[in-house]
């Protein structure tokens, strides 16, 4: 027998060697989960260079600059995984395709928040608690009634989450002590119970508040969340049910007993799957906002209100609305080539295509196409569908989009479904917020349960403003003037056109108007 070659154990050195050319010093930065700790760089110090500014604080350590969080991991999370290159999305390890096929929204909510698929009895307990907590205090009627008649539903919903917090002093660390939620990390059962109650309330009342924001503009009375329905059925009921005291019901029925109302099962299931698809998407802008806000330990209602405000922006929750506006502007399939040519000349943007993370395909877009077919079979196709299909097919064959890895995202189709279901366009972001509340509370809870405790999210900046200078008295100042350099003169909106005209009229008397 020949001699055996001794096995050499190959151990990988999980570190990064860094040489600071300012000082010639070498550092070894640990790599964990293919990431390096930004705080390590604080130990890399150098004397100020000849061209350095004191504000660069060279002696206090190197800073890591990442404008827009392009490559910064802000938290360790066990909730959602996305592989943007391979078009993969998983909640707690389960592929989104399997969840959309087999699960329900509240089951996915349980999974996202508590980490495991529930047993039957665990799920029915959770469903009961969430649906029971949908009922709002009667005073909320006055709150919603105080908005202007044309208030945007997202403005109402954002305010409503903050308003909701005013009811629950037991959920407020400013009143109860700042460890109110962080002591959950030690398994304190009372603290966990208190946290769960707020979670039930936030998810349960999300549909109620959204429905109130919808009905107030319709001039309809609010309805109490029903019993015996699923989460999405209950939402549709709260949006659409006409109570016996509603003027329409009263005119069609002399009876004062409530008419039975059951949402169409295909539409309820379609909305349920859409809610599953929108429930979480790891560190998107609004979830990050919830965590940023939550890190200073306010009540969870304030953190969710902040997330709602972040989602409202057209770069986040508003893209589905932009798709519809784009399709209306294109008008018909014949105009698609002209539109795409304008996109390629960078005069227009193809809304609903492209994604910061997904570079081949958005897995949600395939599921949503199937839902679209189910919905259109019930509602009839949307007149914009032909234009959408022509645009979709042409863009996928066009080298401009193929070479830039621009594929349809979830928003390309979701707006068409919402439109077919009869939702007004400014309600689309609300339909995104309701399910995303689940993702927000899952991330917030995970942060509160962190064994290391909660650190306030306080980033640094690179200061590029003036170095120290001395105060200058009025007499010695030179005016800095021009657009953007001083406060603008504005037209006062309280001044009606008639009044302005009246003042112009007063020119005859020799009084000069500046308006
Ligand atoms: N139409 C035309 N060109 C596009 C589009 C688009 N929709 N998206 C990206 N591009 C082009 C860019 O101009 C750029 O071209 P260049 O390299 O020649 O300059 C290239 O593709 C790379 O795009 P980036 O801007 O670097 O991609 P980024 O990751 O920064 O942006 C974003 C992603 C914001 C989603 C972008 O693709 C976009 O604006 N899409 C349309 C809006 C939209 O659908 N948003 C919804 C996203 S999904 C969601 O939030 C649920």
């Amino acid at each position: 027998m020949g001699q055996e070659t001794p096995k050499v154990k190959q151990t990988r050195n999980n570190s990064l060697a860094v040489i600071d050319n300012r000082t010639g010093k070498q550092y070894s930065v640990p790599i964990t989960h293919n990431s390096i700790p930004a705080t390590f760089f604080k130990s890399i110090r150098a004397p100020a260079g000849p061209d350095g500014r004191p504000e660069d604080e060279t002696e206090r350590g190197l800073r890591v600059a990442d404008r827009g969080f392009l490559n910064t991991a802000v938290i360790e999370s066990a909730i959602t995984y996305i592989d943007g290159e391979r078009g993969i999305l998983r909640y707690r390890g389960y592929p989104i395709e399997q969840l959309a096929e087999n699960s329900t929204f509240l089951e996915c909510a349980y999974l996202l928040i508590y980490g495991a698929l529930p047993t039957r009895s665990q799920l029915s307990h959770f469903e009961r608690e969430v649906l029971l907590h949908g009922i709002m205090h009667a005073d909320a009627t006055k709150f919603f009634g105080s908005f202007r008649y044309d208030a945007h539903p997202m403005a109402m919903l954002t305010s409503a989450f903050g308003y909701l917090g005013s009811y629950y002093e037991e959920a407020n660390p400013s009143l109860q002590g700042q460890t109110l939620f962080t002591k959950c990390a030690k398994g304190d059962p009372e603290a966990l119970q208190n946290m769960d109650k707020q979670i039930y309330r936030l998810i349960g009342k999300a549909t109620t508040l959204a429905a109130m924001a919808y009905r107030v503009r319709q001039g309809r009375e609010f309805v109490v969340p029903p019993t015996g329905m699923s989460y999405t059925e209950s939402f549709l009921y709260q949006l659409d049910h006409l109570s016996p005291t509603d003027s329409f019901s009263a005119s069609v029925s002399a009876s004062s007993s409530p008419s039975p109302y059951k949402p169409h099962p295909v539409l309820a299931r379609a909305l349920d799957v859409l809610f599953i698809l929108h429930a979480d998407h790891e560190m998107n802008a609004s979830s990050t906002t919830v965590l940023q806000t939550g890190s200073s330990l306010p009540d969870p209602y304030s953190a969710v209100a902040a997330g709602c405000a972040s989602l409202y922006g057209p770069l986040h929750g508003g893209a589905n609305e932009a798709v519809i506006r784009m399709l209306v502007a294109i008008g018909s399939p014949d105009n698609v080539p002209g539109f795409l040519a304008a996109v390629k000349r960078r005069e227009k943007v193809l809304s609903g295509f492209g994604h910061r993370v997904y570079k081949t395909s958005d897995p949600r877009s395939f599921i949503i196409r199937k839902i679209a077919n189910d919905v259109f079979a019930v509602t009839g196709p949307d007149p914009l569908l032909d234009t959408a299909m022509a645009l979709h097919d042409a863009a996928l064959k066009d080298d401009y989009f193929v070479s830039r890895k621009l594929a349809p995202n979830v928003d390309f189709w979701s707006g068409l479904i919402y439109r077919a279901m009869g939702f007004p366009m400014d309600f689309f972001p609300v339909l995104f917020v309701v399910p995303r509340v689940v993702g927000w509370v899952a991330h917030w809870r995970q942060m509160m349960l962190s064994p290391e405790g909660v650190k306030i999210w306080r980033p640094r900046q690179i200061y590029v403003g003036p170095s120290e200078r001395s105060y200058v008295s009025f007499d010695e100042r030179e005016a800095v003037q021009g657009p953007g350099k001083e406060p603008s003169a504005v037209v006062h909106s309280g001044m009606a056109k008639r009044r302005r005209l009246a003042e112009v009229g007063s020119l005859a008397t020799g009084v000069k108007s500046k308006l």
Side-chain angles (χ1 to χ4, degrees), residues 396-410:
L396 285 183
K397 279 190 217 129
D398 193 308
D399 189 53
Y400 178 93
F401 301 97
V402 175
S403 63
R404 287 172 177 77
K405 299 184 171 178
L406 301 173
N409 59 49
V410 68

Side-chain angles (χ1 to χ4, degrees), residues 100-405:
E101 183 70 29
N102 303 303
S103 189
T104 62
F105 174 66
L106 282 188
E107 189 186 35
C108 285
Y110 187 109
L111 172 70
L112 283 164
I113 297 166
Y114 299 102
L117 284 171
T119 62
R120 272 204 188 90
S121 70
Q122 283 173 325
L123 179 60
S124 64
H125 166 75
F126 180 66
E127 286 174 337
R128 204 169 44 249
E129 289 293 3
V130 166
L131 295 170
L132 196 86
H133 283 90
I135 295 166
M136 265 308 290
H137 193 287
D139 279 355
T141 306
K142 285 187 253 162
F143 172 79
F144 277 96
S146 69
F147 284 97
R148 240 176 80 133
Y149 67 96
D150 60 350
H152 194 289
M154 281 297 287
M156 289 191 263
L157 193 58
T158 305
S159 325
F161 279 118
Y163 163 78
L164 195 55
S166 71
Y167 284 93
Y168 310 118
E169 65 179 60
E170 78 274 18
N172 191 341
S174 299
L175 303 174
Q176 307 298 336
Q178 68 181 52
T179 58
L180 181 64
F181 295 115
T182 52
K183 63 188 173 195
C184 292
K186 295 199 176 87
D188 181 324
E190 236 177 85
L192 282 163
Q193 215 175 32
N194 186 37
M195 174 184 266
D196 282 336
K197 193 161 188 179
Q198 313 320 316
I199 290 173
Y200 304 148
R201 282 173 172 156
L202 274 161
I203 303 173
K205 287 178 180 31
T207 47
T208 317
L209 297 174
M212 289 175 105
Y214 180 82
R215 289 180 79 108
V216 73
R217 290 198 311 181
Q218 316 251 327
R220 288 189 188 158
E221 285 178 5
F222 304 126
V223 292
V224 175
T227 50
M229 287 192 178
S230 76
Y231 188 75
T232 30
E233 281 172 343
S234 160
F235 184 36
L236 288 169
Y237 178 101
Q238 291 179 67
L239 291 169
D240 301 330
H241 176 57
L242 299 174
S243 70
T245 48
D246 261 320
S247 50
F248 177 75
S249 291
S251 67
V252 295
S253 161
S255 151
S256 64
S257 65
S259 54
Y261 182 90
K262 186 105 173 109
H264 194 287
V266 171
L267 301 190
R269 176 62 191 159
L271 198 59
D272 209 64
V273 179
L274 282 164
F275 277 13
I276 291 173
L277 301 185
H278 284 91
D280 192 42
H281 216 220
E282 52 121 295
M283 282 302 102
N284 54 86
S286 58
S287 300
T288 314
T289 305
V290 168
L291 292 181
Q292 166 89 55
T293 309
S295 78
S296 68
L297 304 178
D299 62 274
Y301 302 92
S302 301
V304 165
C308 203
S310 165
L311 188 141
Y312 190 4
L315 291 188
H316 187 6
N320 48 19
E321 183 180 336
V323 170
I324 299 299
R325 293 193 194 283
M326 170 188 76
L327 293 173
V328 170
I330 295 172
S332 84
D334 299 343
N335 300 329
V336 164
F339 174 79
L340 287 180
V343 172
K344 291 193 259 181
R345 290 195 303 271
R346 292 170 192 269
E347 291 164 15
K348 306 234 152 112
V349 169
L350 175 51
S351 295
F353 264 64
H355 198 278
R356 171 61 64 78
V357 183
Y358 295 122
K359 293 302 172 197
T360 46
S361 61
D362 178 343
R364 300 168 300 175
S365 70
F366 300 112
I367 302 166
I368 227 168
R369 272 193 78 171
K370 188 183 166 304
I371 305 172
N373 292 337
D374 297 346
V375 169
F376 296 152
V378 171
T379 61
D382 190 288
L384 294 176
L385 188 62
D386 290 345
T387 308
M389 289 303 298
L391 186 60
H392 173 268
D393 294 349
L396 285 183
K397 279 190 217 129
D398 193 308
D399 189 53
Y400 178 93
F401 301 97
V402 175
S403 63
R404 287 172 177 77
K405 299 184 171 178

Side-chain angles (χ1 to χ4, degrees), residues 471-480:
Y471 182 80
V472 182
S473 67
F474 276 117
D475 297 338
E476 289 168 39
R477 276 177 218 171
E478 267 183 42
V480 179

